[in-house]
Every structure is written in structure tokens, then in C-alpha cells.
Amino acid sequence: MRYAERGYDLEIDLSRGGIDRVETDPRSMELYLGGQGTAAKLLWDRVPPEAEPFSPENLLIFSSGLLNATPVPGATRTSVNTFSPQTSLMAHSLMGSYFGVEMKHAGYDKIVIRGKSPDLVYLWINNGKVEIRDARHLRGKGTQETAALIKEELHDNKVQVAAIGPAGENRVYMASIDHSHASAARGPGPVMGDKGLKAIAVRGTQDIHTARPAELFEICLRLSKELYDNPNVGDWMAVDEDDSFHHDNFSWGNARVRQKVWSKELQERWTKLKYDHMDRQTGCYNCPKKCHNVISWPGRKRFSYKCYGKDTYHMAAFQELDFSYDILGVAQELGLDSYSTPQVIAFALELLEAGILTDQDFPGMPSDVRKRYFYLLDKITRREGIGDVLANGVYWAARQIGKGAEKYDHNTTKKFEQLPIKLGKVNPAYFLMIATGEKMSITQIEGSFPQDPLPTMEQRQEFVKNWVAVPHEKFKEWFLRWEKRNEISNEASCAITDWNEAMHYIDDSLGLCGFVSSFRGQFGGKTGYHVWNIPQLISLSTGLDFDKDKLWKTFQRIRTLVRAVNVRRGLRRRDERPPEDHWAVRDEKSEQKLLDNYYQFKGWTTDGIPNKETLDKLGLNYVSEDFIKRGILTGNESTPSKETSNGQAKQ
Amino acid sequence: MVTVKAGLKKKLVKEIKVDVDKCTGCRSCEMACSAFHAVPKYSSLNPARARIRVVIDESRDIYVPIRAGEYTQAECTGRNIYTIHGKEYSECSFCPACCPSRDYFKEPDSGLPLKCDMCEDEPPLSEPMCVQACQQDALTYVEREELVEEQKPEVKLEEMEIVFEALVKKHGKKKVMDTFTRLSKS
């Protein structure tokens, strides 16, 4: 009997129309849990490093988290993995709501897509019945519109649909996959479009079993109440209208301008704007928080947003919240990611301002800035004219345009748009996270340890008093002694980065939402999930005995495997650089020393490659053998010496 | 001492108040119901077998938890579409029936009807499981007494009888009896 997981993947070959239900190796759950962990294993095993992202060999994998569909509250996330055309590396994207849960009730832990369909299709999964269906009539339809049309066509409104919009069909690099009030952005959308897959519709009505169900249920019912009552978890942006943090500290435009705009008057006006147009707040499956705000904006379709997604458009365009409300639902319907898209548009308008692009590049563009954003959304989505270039993201667009446009690409790492934030002094852990995070997004790696020190010892003592989440007491000591952002030891910075990362890798394999776990510990108090209570939930769900140490080792295994997948595709130290202007005050030598220390801490070579000893210790011998065969490792690497530094210039 | 007028009797009425404005569509009620009613208790999870379902239509901002009521063999002669405060609720949004027109409140494999029993249990729960699972207070539990006229006890179909009746209607008495005989021999 397989508990928590179903033990089967659905394998779809879109080139030949093949559909297979494949039993998985039970050991893979113990080694890689599920979600992103087992997806990384499939990508390692099955996609050769030479495979282009836009090739039939590339896999597009929808994975339920190991705890999806169990009673564990907030275990809602589906991960979507593939190789990204933008970075050529592993794309890792998460979406909440109901999709992974439904998939599991249909009998599958994963849906693995390979090949390419000759024309647009969608996948209809109804328990054991799986069909590849014609989707030509859905061409060009929006994400929510597609879901509605499919439900109508199948005469079933309980079907869960994940779909791309026209942006995905046109292989726009910023394209997302949207499902209900959730979105898998940053990477996988264009691959889904490239495979000719418009949507996946899934309906499942089978039982899920856990190993010790009564005990698990009782704990989860209690946890659910605790999470509801706990102000430290969930998305505070859904309920707290004071958003001075982002508006006063993040950069406006093309990640350029910091300005203090927040005022009581603005907060009151925006709060009224929100509540005058908000229908309700909704939550994901079996989660007591309600992080989605559902908005009805005049003349637009009802849409939902969460988190910082509400700020990106108006901040890029130097506008106000009403502009985001006007454009966000439209962009989501087109299937565009709300982080990178406004940056690409702001970048294009900067190039126009600078004379690198001219009016001829934007035929018929209105003069009003808001209208320009709609104009460019349309051009990008359709890959028309300059939109065809911009659809490749800032990094590639800058190189295609040339004429000095590269200089305006100042906010990408590993060719990927970053959060629009520019700061003064380096926070060493943030340097490491931005440089080395495989998800290439700071918000998807930070979260357990505070971003900044607290000013007084009393406040720090108060903070650490109820800090149950720390894996080790040393984190408390480091925090108590921390006074200035940039002054914290390399030793502490390495361990902090590692812990922050650990929580995300655990969440992304179990399907836990960051808002009740990995992202929220930094704000103090008690977070929902941590390394002390997660093992029990895994044990009761799966029947395997997990404890903190085993969980930690599992994180290391998954994390190292993800790194190995990227290393095999060419990722090296030279790529691990935060944007040059991310901080005003830089010190190349000490940054490179910090990176050395971190690689050493992780058991990687000076070039950022996991060494043989590290790999073998984690049971990843198949990786070390492959690396030696390919000449990536010699097998005799020692850990880097502390003094070595080979900071190479950015490509 | 409460005196009850001749011909009247006290009846305990169990109510679940549903505030659709507070529902977030998390479906914890469905999950918890299916676990509580699994045999053995909590042994499986499956919202498709829940005796409470949330009718969700995101595009219309509709979130209506409904509890499984009586089994009905026939559909209504017509269906209702309600518009309340400008929101159009889809067909049968408020109807609790286990009805041939939809797959709510039927065992997914057999099609057998499911009915909410307010989580009657020994010892009794403080409140039904769906109410306990709903952190938003979209579902709240109330017990009250009502005076009703004493009547001849109506035929209370036990759950088993409802199930058999549905099977008989679906497959015919003979088939059901033959199957029962065969199964009881093994």
C-alpha cells in the first residue's frame, strides 16, 4: 500500500498521442519526497543536457506535493518543472488552489508531458480515463475563459483546469500557467505552448490514504485552528493595508527609482478603492488563510491577486493602485507573469526615452503611459513587431536590440528578471541567496531568518523567546549579536542561507505553501511549519519514519540534485552574480570570499559543482559517476580553500 | 419544569447556519466530512464522497456550501436560477438533494446516495465535523428545541434502506436480491 502518494505517474507523449499510467519506485518518495524533489530526479534521468527547452525531448512536469490531498492544512501547492527557454536551466514554479489535490484524487502524483502536438490540444483526465482532445477552438482564448469553456464542454463544473493564455501559445518567455486563483509563473508557460498543450483538465474522485489517519486528522484539525489564529502566517498583504514597505523601499519604473510616497491619505484612499471593489477573499484547498483578493473592476472581468502582484504594474509605470486593478486581470487572462512583464515594458519605454528604440519601433503607440502598457501587453502577447523581441525577456531583448541596450538590462541574474529592489549595503545572506538560488527569485528562497537586525537587545531577546522554528540554537545567538545589516560573519551567513533554502526545498517537495511555512519565519513569533513539526506529519502521512535529521538530509539531497541538474546544463560560478547595481556599496573581494565559504559549506567545488564526496554521501552516486564521465569532475576535488577567489566578469 | 401542552411534543432541531459571504472556497469541510464518514473512521479522504459540497463558480463569485439532503429518484420538473444582489447563482446552487441531475452526494464508484447525518456519533461530537473544520465561521452549529404536534411516527428510512431503495430503483429488485444472496453466501 502506498500512503500519501498514489504511486503512479501519468505519462503523456504529445508527439504520438501516447498515454501511459506508470508505477513509480516507492524508494523515490523516501529519497526525494515528491513535488519538485521527484521532478528533479525525472529531469536528471530523462532529459539529456543537450536538449533544447523548445524541443520534444524537454519534459513539462506537473507534480503534486507529497502532502497534497492529505488533511495537512496549507499543503496545496503543485510544482511545475521543465527547462526554461529563458535561462536554459531548470524552471521551478509553484501554484496553489486545487490542481495538485484533484490530480491526486484522479490517481496520479505527476503528469509528465513529453513530445509536441502537431496542433493545439488539451488533456482531459477523469480518473482512469485520459484523453488528448482537440483545442483548436480554444486558440487565443484567455486563461479563465479557457477553463470556463472546457468545463462547459465537459458538462462538469468541478473539473480543475490549468491553462495557458495566448502569451503561452506564442511562447512568450514571461508566459504563465493559470489555474483558479493561482498561477505557475516564471518559466514553464512557453514550454507548455511550445508543446501545443493549451490546458490540462482534471477530475478525480478516488480515495487518498494515509498511514496513521486518525492521529494525523486530529493533529491537522488542531493545526488548522492554530494557523487561522496565527497572525504570523498567511499573506499579510491580503489584510494589512499598510503597504509602505514595498512602495517606499522597492524601486519604481525599470527597477530604477526609490521614492517615499506612502502617506496616511494614500493608504486611506487605496483601502477604500480596494474594499469598494473587492468581492471576497479566498483560500486554497484546505487552508484556513485567505490570501487571494477577488476584485471586480468596472469594464473588466473579475480577477484575483495575491501578494506583491498587486504592486508591480503601477510601480513599474509610476501610477497608482487603480492602474494595477485595471491591467492586472487583463494580463492574467493573457497568461503573463506579473513580476517580469511590467519590468520588460518599463525597460522598453526606457529604451525609447534613451533613443535606443524609436517611435518607428512602436507604431500607433498612444502617448498616455497607462495606454502604453496595454499597447505593449498586446504586442508582447502576440509577438508582433518589437513585441517579438520583448517577449524574450529583458536579457535576450537587450542583446537582440544592441546599440547599448545591454546597459539597461540591470536587474537580471542568470538571464532572469529579479525583484525590483536596490539597496545600500550588502546583507551577506541575501548576496548568497540571490547569487546561488536555483529558483532565481529572492522571495522563493528567503524567509526563515530576519532580513535585518532589530535595533535593541530587548527586542532581539523578545524575538528569539518564542523562536521554535530554529533548527539549531546558534541561529538565536547570531541574531542576538547582529547589529548592522552588513556586519555578520560568513559562517552565520552560510548557515542562514542554508536554513532559508532548506525550508523552501522541503515545502516545494511536500506541497506546503510558503505563506504558512518557509517564507514567514523571518517575521518572528511562531510560524506554521518548521523542521520540528514537519517530520511527524510526513511520518503519519507516509508511514516512513522521519525525524529532523532525516528531513534535513533529504533537503540536502534534493537541493544538491537540483544544482547537479543545472551544473550538467552548464551553470557555473561565473553565472552566480547578483545585479551589479543591486547594492550601492560593493566589495568584490569579500563577496567572492563569502561565495567561496558558501560553496565549501555546501560541499561544492570552487566553481560551484557538488563534489564527489558530497554527492556520494547523499546517495547521489549516479550524479558523481555521470560528472566524472563527462569530465565535469575529476573525482579528486577537495573543498575549496578559504582564500581562493575567481570572480570572473559577467558574460 | 416545562409543561408541554397535550398533543404537542418537544423536538430537537439541529441547524447549521451557512454564511456564504464568509466562505473562502477552501473546501476543508468537504475534506473533513469525507474523513469522518470513512470506514474505518478517518481511513480515507475524498471530497467526492463528502456529504457537504461547496458550489464554486469563481467567475460569478459564488461560494455556497450545501449539505446532502434526501435522495430523490426524479429530477424536478424545472430548475431554478436565482439572482441575488445582482449575482446569478447557477442551477440548483442551493439544493441539497441527491438527484439524478448531478453527481453531488453520490458514492463516486457505485452512485449510491449519501446523506448528511449531522455527524451523529457515540459519544456525540460537540458540533459536526464540517463546522469544526471551517475556520471562517461560514458554518456555525445551533441546536434548538421546537414544539411540534404529536404525529404518528413517520417511516424513518434508515441509511441502509435508502441505499437499498436506490439500488432497487436503479437495477431492479431481482438483480439486487440475487446479488445480496450471492454475497451473503461467500
Side-chain angles (χ1 to χ4, degrees), chain B residues 164 175-186:
Chain B
F164 267 97
K175 246 187 178 164
V176 174
M177 280 177 64
D178 287 352
T179 309
F180 183 79
T181 314
R182 200 180 67 240
L183 287 176
S184 49
K185 273 181 198 150
S186 58

Side-chain angles (χ1 to χ4, degrees), chain A residues 327-348:
Chain A
I327 198 168
L328 191 52
V330 176
Q332 287 179 1
E333 195 61 9
L334 295 170
L336 286 165
D337 165 36
S338 60
Y339 275 64
S340 45
T341 309
Q343 278 193 50
V344 173
I345 295 176
F347 160 78

Side-chain angles (χ1 to χ4, degrees), chain A residues 38-201:
Chain A
T38 41
K41 180 71 165 64
L42 284 184
L43 290 175
W44 172 272
D45 286 344
R46 298 199 11 212
V47 186
E50 309 77 40
E52 294 291 333
F54 287 152
S55 76
E57 290 170 287
N58 192 8
L59 296 181
L60 174 68
I61 308 172
F62 289 76
S63 309
S64 63
L66 180 58
L67 300 180
N68 281 179
T70 69
V72 176
T76 64
R77 285 195 162 171
T78 312
S79 63
V80 188
N81 298 99
T82 186
F83 288 107
S84 150
Q86 187 163 7
T87 65
S88 184
L89 302 173
M90 181 170 158
H92 176 44
S93 189
L94 298 156
M95 62 181 179
S97 287
Y98 316 106
F99 196 81
V101 172
E102 196 73 23
M103 209 166 106
K104 235 162 159 174
H105 283 296
Y108 313 101
D109 297 318
K110 288 187 194 304
I111 303 165
V112 184
I113 317 278
R114 66 180 186 275
K116 278 191 200 196
S117 167
D119 211 332
L120 203 61
V121 291
Y122 78 90
L123 195 59
W124 166 221
I125 303 164
N126 186 4
N127 295 314
K129 198 187 88 182
V130 182
E131 294 171 4
I132 298 169
R133 296 172 69 115
D134 189 357
R136 284 175 297 181
H137 60 300
L138 299 171
R139 197 185 308 280
K141 303 288 184 199
T143 51
Q144 301 302 328
E145 188 184 10
T146 298
L149 287 167
I150 288 177
K151 286 178 187 184
E152 205 177 298
E153 185 171 310
L154 299 171
H155 304 290
D156 190 341
N157 62 8
K158 289 188 294 302
V159 169
Q160 301 300 343
V161 180
I164 53 169
E169 288 174 41
N170 295 332
R171 309 196 304 180
V172 172
Y173 288 5
M174 295 86 79
S176 58
I177 301 168
D178 287 66
H179 152 67
S180 179
H181 291 164
S183 180
R186 304 190 338 256
V191 174
M192 187 153 163
D194 180 62
K195 295 197 173 300
L197 184 63
K198 178 68 179 171
I200 302 177

Side-chain angles (χ1 to χ4, degrees), chain A residues 98 105 158 180-181 203 205-209 213 217 224-225 228 279-280 282-286 288 302, chain B residues 20 23-28 42-47 49 56 58-61 63 103-104 108 132 135-136:
Chain A
Y98 316 106
H105 283 296
K158 289 188 294 302
S180 179
H181 291 164
R203 181 78 207 283
T205 60
Q206 299 173 19
D207 289 357
I208 301 290
H209 298 278
F217 187 87
S224 180
K225 284 186 169 58
Y228 177 79
D279 290 324
R280 80 174 62 223
T282 65
C284 297
Y285 181 82
N286 190 29
R302 181 176 275 114
Chain B
V20 297
C23 180
T24 63
C26 77
R27 301 167 58 203
S28 296
Y42 305 115
S43 60
S44 67
L45 301 142
N46 188 355
R49 303 173 70 186
I56 297 177
E58 286 149 354
S59 64
R60 294 195 174 98
D61 186 44
Y63 297 82
D103 60 2
Y104 278 164
Q132 294 191 41
Q135 309 300 341
Q136 316 297 337

